[in-house]
């Protein structure tokens, strides 16, 4: 048995036990929580699949490995602070990322946050790395992976909560970010982003059985690309990203759909899930257009072992179109641009 397989089994057993039995002593004003994911995953294609995960036809035991810790302190009725540190799938254990760290001030129906904040592009942005919060093993990659792992910004946001009626609420959040940096590795190339400006507007209408989200974000940035041949700086550029998402539940059914539009993408997915006690089968269809051209079908089953631990088994077929390499990180040498992806994933929170 390979060492990586032994490590996976040991990790799976230990975190399952910990997540079920974890008891944290909290004060009235201080809380500590955590979350994580680990998986066995394999693609049918030798060319790596997904930026920041790079899954191939070799069985992988750490392509999805995630572990996060979050601390929250409420000083009084108005002031609070929150810090979240995450070892993302693309990070080594020795270099986790500070995902957010902010100070918040609330008064009446207004909330102000200053610091490192989560970029609110999607329905699931607030719990982006918390696999236990998803129905599927991962959020649909055609939409959520189109920003190359950009999930936070440094700046401030203000949220107004507006009561429409007894069952409906509208949250409106303008936000602005100062200069920040990010690095993405894609195969042998490294892309270093210097994001000079971030401006956006997020809104969400929610009720008893639905959510409707719209977000607009504008970025000004410069990117340096480092290849085995050297480093080249591209001219300053900008991009506007529009996202729209909806979630609707009816009895045991849950329908979710999101779309992302910018100059390089027109990507969308639709997902349908049905809950039967601890079991939730689901199916997702997705398409990508413009720079990435592909469609995919995902069929999966989630099993809730406890209220804090879940297990997903999934099969996905993704197929590139129109000369694109789709969700593969580069054009395959053998010309094979479709892939079947098999996943067993364990998610937990504490």
């Amino acid at each position: 048995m390979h060492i990586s397989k032994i490590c996976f089994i040991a990790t799976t057993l230990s975190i399952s036990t910990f997540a079920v039995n974890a008891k944290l002593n909290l004060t009235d004003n201080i809380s500590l929580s955590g979350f994580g994911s680990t998986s066995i995953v394999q693609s049918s294609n030798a060319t790596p699949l997904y930026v920041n995960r790079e899954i191939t036809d070799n069985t992988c035991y750490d392509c999805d490995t995630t572990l996060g810790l979050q601390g929250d302190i409420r000083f009084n009725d108005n002031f609070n602070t929150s810090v979240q540190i995450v070892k993302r799938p693309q990070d080594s254990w020795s270099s986790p990322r500070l995902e957010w760290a902010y100070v918040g001030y609330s008064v009446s129906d207004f909330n102000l946050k200053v610091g490192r904040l989560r970029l609110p592009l999607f329905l699931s942005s607030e719990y982006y790395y918390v696999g236990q919060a998803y129905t599927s093993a991962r959020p649909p990659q055609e939409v959520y992976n189109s920003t190359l792992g950009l999930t936070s910004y440094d700046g401030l946001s203000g949220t107004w909560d507006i009561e429409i009626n007894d069952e409906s609420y509208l949250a409106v959040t303008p936000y602005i970010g100062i200069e920040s940096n990010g690095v993405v590795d894609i195969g042998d190339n490294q892309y270093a982003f210097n994001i000079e400006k971030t401006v956006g507007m997020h809104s969400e209408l929610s009720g008893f059985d639905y959510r409707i989200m719209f977000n607009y974000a504008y970025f000004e940035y410069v990117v340096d690309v480092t290849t085995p041949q050297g480093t080249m700086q591209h001219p300053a550029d900008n991009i506007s990203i529009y996202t729209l998402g909806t979630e609707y539940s009816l009895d045991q059914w849950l329908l979710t759909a999101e779309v992302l539009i910018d100059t390089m993408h027109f990507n969308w997915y639709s997902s349908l899930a049905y809950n039967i006690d601890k079991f939730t089968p689901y199916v997702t269809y997705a398409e990508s257009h413009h720079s990435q051209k592909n469609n995919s079908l995902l069929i999966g089953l989630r099993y809730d072992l406890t209220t804090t631990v879940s297990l997903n088994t999934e099969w996905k077929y993704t197929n590139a179109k129109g000369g694109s390499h789709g969700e593969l990180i580069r054009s395959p040498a053998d010309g094979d641009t479709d892939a079947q992806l098999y996943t067993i994933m364990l998610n937990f929170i504490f």
Side-chain angles (χ1 to χ4, degrees), residues 153-156 175-179 195-200:
Y153 69 98
D154 299 328
L156 60 89
Y175 55 93
I176 185 169
I178 60 175
E179 185 174 356
I195 302 173
E196 300 174 340
K197 185 178 183 180
T198 302
V199 179

mmCIF file of all heavy atoms in Angstrom, residues 153-156 175-179 195-200:
data_model
loop_
_atom_site.group_PDB
_atom_site.id
_atom_site.type_symbol
_atom_site.label_atom_id
_atom_site.label_comp_id
_atom_site.label_asym_id
_atom_site.label_seq_id
_atom_site.Cartn_x
_atom_site.Cartn_y
_atom_site.Cartn_z
ATOM 1 N N TYR A 153 -10.571 40.009 -1.156
ATOM 2 C CA TYR A 153 -10.001 41.308 -1.496
ATOM 3 C C TYR A 153 -9.736 42.078 -0.197
ATOM 4 O O TYR A 153 -10.314 41.766 0.859
ATOM 5 C CB TYR A 153 -10.938 42.108 -2.401
ATOM 6 C CG TYR A 153 -12.205 42.584 -1.715
ATOM 7 C CD1 TYR A 153 -12.314 43.879 -1.221
ATOM 8 C CD2 TYR A 153 -13.298 41.721 -1.557
ATOM 9 C CE1 TYR A 153 -13.470 44.306 -0.580
ATOM 10 C CE2 TYR A 153 -14.452 42.139 -0.931
ATOM 11 C CZ TYR A 153 -14.536 43.439 -0.440
ATOM 12 O OH TYR A 153 -15.681 43.849 0.201
ATOM 13 N N ASP A 154 -8.862 43.065 -0.260
ATOM 14 C CA ASP A 154 -8.565 43.918 0.886
ATOM 15 C C ASP A 154 -9.268 45.250 0.699
ATOM 16 O O ASP A 154 -9.043 45.954 -0.297
ATOM 17 C CB ASP A 154 -7.057 44.149 1.026
ATOM 18 C CG ASP A 154 -6.289 42.857 1.250
ATOM 19 O OD1 ASP A 154 -6.853 41.942 1.880
ATOM 20 O OD2 ASP A 154 -5.138 42.763 0.797
ATOM 21 N N GLY A 155 -10.140 45.607 1.638
ATOM 22 C CA GLY A 155 -10.884 46.849 1.484
ATOM 23 C C GLY A 155 -12.004 46.957 2.485
ATOM 24 O O GLY A 155 -11.856 46.573 3.658
ATOM 25 N N LEU A 156 -13.139 47.463 2.044
ATOM 26 C CA LEU A 156 -14.279 47.643 2.945
ATOM 27 C C LEU A 156 -15.581 47.400 2.201
ATOM 28 O O LEU A 156 -15.652 47.504 0.972
ATOM 29 C CB LEU A 156 -14.265 49.027 3.584
ATOM 30 C CG LEU A 156 -14.327 50.258 2.673
ATOM 31 C CD1 LEU A 156 -15.766 50.658 2.393
ATOM 32 C CD2 LEU A 156 -13.607 51.435 3.317
ATOM 33 N N TYR A 175 -18.967 47.495 -2.337
ATOM 34 C CA TYR A 175 -17.660 47.224 -1.746
ATOM 35 C C TYR A 175 -16.564 47.804 -2.631
ATOM 36 O O TYR A 175 -16.745 47.989 -3.837
ATOM 37 C CB TYR A 175 -17.454 45.720 -1.520
ATOM 38 C CG TYR A 175 -17.640 44.848 -2.727
ATOM 39 C CD1 TYR A 175 -16.558 44.490 -3.543
ATOM 40 C CD2 TYR A 175 -18.907 44.342 -3.058
ATOM 41 C CE1 TYR A 175 -16.724 43.674 -4.649
ATOM 42 C CE2 TYR A 175 -19.076 43.519 -4.165
ATOM 43 C CZ TYR A 175 -17.984 43.192 -4.956
ATOM 44 O OH TYR A 175 -18.155 42.387 -6.058
ATOM 45 N N ILE A 176 -15.423 48.084 -2.014
ATOM 46 C CA ILE A 176 -14.284 48.637 -2.725
ATOM 47 C C ILE A 176 -13.004 48.055 -2.141
ATOM 48 O O ILE A 176 -12.906 47.865 -0.917
ATOM 49 C CB ILE A 176 -14.274 50.183 -2.657
ATOM 50 C CG1 ILE A 176 -13.135 50.757 -3.512
ATOM 51 C CG2 ILE A 176 -14.192 50.663 -1.215
ATOM 52 C CD1 ILE A 176 -13.240 52.259 -3.705
ATOM 53 N N GLY A 177 -12.049 47.745 -3.000
ATOM 54 C CA GLY A 177 -10.809 47.138 -2.543
ATOM 55 C C GLY A 177 -9.598 47.957 -2.941
ATOM 56 O O GLY A 177 -9.591 48.641 -3.973
ATOM 57 N N ILE A 178 -8.566 47.908 -2.115
ATOM 58 C CA ILE A 178 -7.299 48.551 -2.411
ATOM 59 C C ILE A 178 -6.387 47.555 -3.116
ATOM 60 O O ILE A 178 -6.793 46.435 -3.426
ATOM 61 C CB ILE A 178 -6.631 49.075 -1.118
ATOM 62 C CG1 ILE A 178 -6.375 47.911 -0.148
ATOM 63 C CG2 ILE A 178 -7.496 50.130 -0.466
ATOM 64 C CD1 ILE A 178 -5.607 48.307 1.099
ATOM 65 N N GLU A 179 -5.168 47.932 -3.372
ATOM 66 C CA GLU A 179 -4.230 47.081 -4.108
ATOM 67 C C GLU A 179 -3.961 45.782 -3.351
ATOM 68 O O GLU A 179 -3.739 45.775 -2.143
ATOM 69 C CB GLU A 179 -2.920 47.827 -4.334
ATOM 70 C CG GLU A 179 -1.925 47.077 -5.195
ATOM 71 C CD GLU A 179 -0.692 47.906 -5.522
ATOM 72 O OE1 GLU A 179 -0.661 49.087 -5.128
ATOM 73 O OE2 GLU A 179 0.224 47.375 -6.167
ATOM 74 N N ILE A 195 -3.659 43.273 -8.396
ATOM 75 C CA ILE A 195 -4.984 43.859 -8.573
ATOM 76 C C ILE A 195 -4.962 45.256 -7.960
ATOM 77 O O ILE A 195 -4.892 45.426 -6.742
ATOM 78 C CB ILE A 195 -6.062 42.979 -7.922
ATOM 79 C CG1 ILE A 195 -6.020 41.576 -8.536
ATOM 80 C CG2 ILE A 195 -7.448 43.597 -8.117
ATOM 81 C CD1 ILE A 195 -6.919 40.582 -7.870
ATOM 82 N N GLU A 196 -5.009 46.261 -8.807
ATOM 83 C CA GLU A 196 -4.830 47.637 -8.364
ATOM 84 C C GLU A 196 -6.116 48.281 -7.886
ATOM 85 O O GLU A 196 -6.086 49.242 -7.115
ATOM 86 C CB GLU A 196 -4.221 48.456 -9.509
ATOM 87 C CG GLU A 196 -2.846 47.925 -9.955
ATOM 88 C CD GLU A 196 -2.313 48.631 -11.181
ATOM 89 O OE1 GLU A 196 -3.137 49.250 -11.912
ATOM 90 O OE2 GLU A 196 -1.102 48.575 -11.416
ATOM 91 N N LYS A 197 -7.258 47.754 -8.336
ATOM 92 C CA LYS A 197 -8.540 48.353 -7.956
ATOM 93 C C LYS A 197 -9.641 47.315 -8.023
ATOM 94 O O LYS A 197 -9.708 46.523 -8.963
ATOM 95 C CB LYS A 197 -8.870 49.523 -8.889
ATOM 96 C CG LYS A 197 -10.126 50.295 -8.526
ATOM 97 C CD LYS A 197 -10.325 51.454 -9.487
ATOM 98 C CE LYS A 197 -11.540 52.299 -9.117
ATOM 99 N NZ LYS A 197 -11.724 53.432 -10.065
ATOM 100 N N THR A 198 -10.495 47.309 -7.019
ATOM 101 C CA THR A 198 -11.666 46.436 -6.981
ATOM 102 C C THR A 198 -12.878 47.263 -6.572
ATOM 103 O O THR A 198 -12.842 47.947 -5.542
ATOM 104 C CB THR A 198 -11.488 45.283 -5.981
ATOM 105 O OG1 THR A 198 -10.342 44.519 -6.328
ATOM 106 C CG2 THR A 198 -12.716 44.384 -5.961
ATOM 107 N N VAL A 199 -13.914 47.234 -7.365
ATOM 108 C CA VAL A 199 -15.166 47.933 -7.043
ATOM 109 C C VAL A 199 -16.316 47.006 -7.389
ATOM 110 O O VAL A 199 -16.303 46.370 -8.462
ATOM 111 C CB VAL A 199 -15.315 49.251 -7.829
ATOM 112 C CG1 VAL A 199 -16.638 49.928 -7.481
ATOM 113 C CG2 VAL A 199 -14.161 50.194 -7.538
ATOM 114 N N GLY A 200 -17.304 46.901 -6.518
ATOM 115 C CA GLY A 200 -18.409 46.009 -6.817
ATOM 116 C C GLY A 200 -19.686 46.350 -6.080
ATOM 117 O O GLY A 200 -19.707 47.182 -5.160
#
